[in-house]
Structures are given as structure tokens and as C-alpha cells.
Amino acid sequence: MATLIRNGRIVTAVDDYLADILVDGGRVRAIGVDLAIGGDAEIHDATGLLVLPGGVDVHTHLDMATPTASTIDTFGSGTKAAAFGGTTALVDFCTPVAGESPLKGLEDWHRRRESACVDVGAHMILLDAHPGTLEDMKTLVRREGVSSFKLFMAYPGSLMVDDGALFKAMRVAGANGAMTCVHAENGPVIQALVDEAVAQGLKAPKYHAVTRPAILEGEAVHRAICLAELAETPLYIVHLSAAQSLAAVTEARDRGIAVHAETCPHYLFLNAEEYERPGFEAAKYVMTPPLRELSHQAHLWRGLKSDDLQVVSTDHCPFCFNEQPHGLRYSKQQGVDSFSRIPNGAPGVETRLPLIFDGAVVKHGLSLNRFVEITATAPAKLFGLFPKKGTIAVGTDADLVLFDPVERWTIRAADHHSQVDYSLFEGREVTGRVKKVFVRGQCIVDGTRWLGREGMGQYLRRSESGRP
Ligand code: DUC
Ligand code: ZN
Ligand code: ZN
């Protein structure tokens, strides 16, 4: 049966108008005023609501296992949480096991991905740039629809690659229509600071932030840009948190270099004061990069306004605060004796849209169009999903969010659908709330009612990335 969404205010990255949307076969079939329908249709009245393209979150870690810890959300629970937050497409990070080929890593990722409730694509994390890995990169882009790769300049001895490997991977990515995503922090210097702190007995969660200063992010961002410029490849800085990093991105973009960057809600709304919380509570805020001093936030908002920052994604990487009921592997409590053992990451997939609406549109004067651009259109374009995802037009997937722009409500972890046991934003009041969510035309969220099911999410085989 067709679906008709009536009287909504349709907002895309470029338009803002009142119309009806007719959906059939999972796609938008017609848009117009007082649309006539030929037969039966499921009708949804969107009077007073915004009709937005489903959110696109290009940075999540669902069901991710490292040698020491695992994220608590499966694809089932994480994508259900995403849907309740108005996000209908994810690009998740596939982390291969060290020494294993990326293609094998993708095979395992697909098995875990089968429980997804919304559509999901994969970025591939590269742990080396050996000849076999570089060959796999080509296969991943051409055959598997994985058109972006992430490399780490941090975590020596585990995830980090050296500059030579980073450069080699960048060249292959660029030559094959793929984006290189970089975790930019100076890993060896951070390691020296961590070792020093631990040796001095400074082991509380706040030393996670003390040992990862903003200057070491800025330095690595600058270095990554130099390497990408030389490799003639598009670059995407993930989880940018610091003014120094943004300055490097801005300078490069002003010179016409294809550098892009995302920030995350926690860097826009929270700051390093959270690390002064008593006891072990501050471990909830142990993510990488860490929260910065308050002064960085104004730079990030300016970057979002001026398009020096193009995307807000979540880096949803959830570990429970408490050990029970899931066990230590899923818990921050692993690091109760030393910050260096706290699993690194925080949740956020369910709160991105309302937080960014409240922060960007209500408080910082960004337009509704820009709000849609940074949460859906730009990530879809940068990562090979547009126009299937990221906008509303005849022929696009009918991934739609009916959003109330005036409702005020309070964020509470107890109301969430993620399996994690806390929210970074507990008790925060926001304006703007997701009311209904459609994935390929199917209404899967209706207020607090869940109408979706595990397994209905499709794999997103992506086309070229890095060409906005
Ligand atoms: N990088 C991420 O992107 N997520 C979690 C931790 C990290 O280092
Ligand atoms: Zn990272
Ligand atoms: Zn991440």
C-alpha cells in the first residue's frame, strides 16, 4: 500500500516548503500540494511538523570487538536507537582483526550487520598498508561498495600506522575513488605522556584528557593534510575536537585542498569540566579525542556555520558504565584502577538530531537547511550515498523523519533504546523531537511505539566517496 504524508513542511539542504509526499515501493513517488492518490494509502498528518530526510550518521562502532573490550550495542539495538533518534542510515566502522585481511573483516562484519533495523554501510579500518591490503582496498571499493578507509595516527602498538603506510593507503584510496578518514592525534607523544602519568601514579579518569592535549590533535591534523595533499586524495578528519585542528582544516580548504571534517555532539555541548566529576563518574566521558576546554566550542560552531566543518556524526562507541549485567568486557569499570585501561568511547546515536537541532537552529542561529545539510545531506554526499539517502526528492529512498520543532523534552538514558546504561546528556532539556520515522516508506517509529524489526535494514553498497 502507498503512504501519504500530508501537510508537512519539507526541509532539505536547499528547500523549505509545504507539500504532501506520496511514497510507494519504498521511494518518494510524488511531491505536491493537495496530492491526489489513485487508491488506498496509509495517511500520516504532518501538520505543524517538519519533514526531514532521515539522518545519516557516518561514524558508529556497533558490535565492535577489540582484544580487550566490546561495544554493547548490536546492530539490532544500535540501529533501533538510531531510528528513535531520527537516523535512518549509518556508515559503521569495520575493524578487522590484526593480521587478518580486510576482506575477511568485512565478511565477519556482514554477519553481525544482519540484525540491523536501518540501512548500514561500512568504512574499512586499515591496520597496515602491505601489498595485500592495498589490493584488498581496490576490491573493497569496486566489488563491495566500501569506498572509505580509516587509518589511525594514534595508538602505537595496536591501531597506529606510520606516516609512510598512511601515505601509501591514501594514494590507493584517491586513485580508486575512495575517501581516507583519519584519526588524527600524535600517538607516540601521547604514549610518552600516558607512561609518564601512570609512572607518577596519576591514574584517575581525568588524566585521559591531560595526556591527550589539543596541540597533539592539531599537529596530526596538519600532518595528515600535508600527506593527503601530496597524495592528491580527498581527506576526512574524524571526530575533530580542537580549535587548532579546525584552523589547519580551514587553511587547507581556503587553498582548495579537498579536506573535510566532522565533529560530534559531545565536543559541541560538553567540555573538560566533566572530568572533575567525583570518583569514577568521569570515566563516562572517556572518549578519544577527549572533551576540550570550553573555549574550543565557539570555534566548532563557527566551523559548522562557515562550512569549514561539514558533518556532525556521533562516534557512537558505547561501553556501559556499570559492570553488570553484561560483564567487564563491555564496561568502563575495566579502568577503575587506571585511566589507561578505560574502554575508549561513548554513546550518542539516539540523541544527535534533537541535540543538533536545539544547538544549531534554536541556539546558534544556523538555518534549518544547514541543519539538514550537516546531519544528512553532506555525509550522504561525501560517502557515496547521495541522492538515494540524504535528501527528499522524487525517486529517493523514502527515509523520512517527522520532527516537532517546538516540543521541549528532557534526555534520559532510561528512555533510550541503546543497551548502554548512561547518557552523556542526562537531564539536558532540548527543543525539537522526533515524532515519526520512515525507512524506505515503512513507518518504524511512531512516538514511543516501535514498529520496525531486526533484519529489515539493508546493506548500503556505496559509490565513490570524497566528491562533495
Ligand atoms: N576512535 C574512534 O573513532 N572511536 C572510538 C575511539 C577512537 O579512538
Ligand atoms: Zn578515532
Ligand atoms: Zn569512532
Side-chain angles (χ1 to χ4, degrees), residues 154-155 183 185 190-191 193-194 197-198 202-214 216 267 272 275 280 282-292 332 335 338-346:
Y155 308 120
H183 174 128
E185 286 184 303
I190 288 168
Q191 193 57 54
L193 294 174
V194 169
V198 170
L202 306 174
K203 297 185 181 177
K206 73 173 178 188
Y207 292 103
H208 171 74
V210 172
T211 56
R212 310 187 88 91
L216 294 181
Y267 303 122
Y275 298 118
F280 193 56
K284 292 177 178 173
Y285 302 85
V286 168
M287 75 282 284
T288 305
L291 299 176
R292 302 301 187 189
K332 296 274 186 187
S338 175
F339 73 89
S340 63
R341 288 196 291 275
I342 299 172
N344 213 317

Side-chain angles (χ1 to χ4, degrees), residues 38 75 219 277 321 371 382:
F75 280 83
E219 182 276 328
R277 285 174 180 255
F321 180 65
F371 161 66
L382 284 168

Side-chain angles (χ1 to χ4, degrees), residues 150 152 183 238-239:
K150 178 181 180 186
F152 287 82
H183 174 128
V238 295
H239 48 48

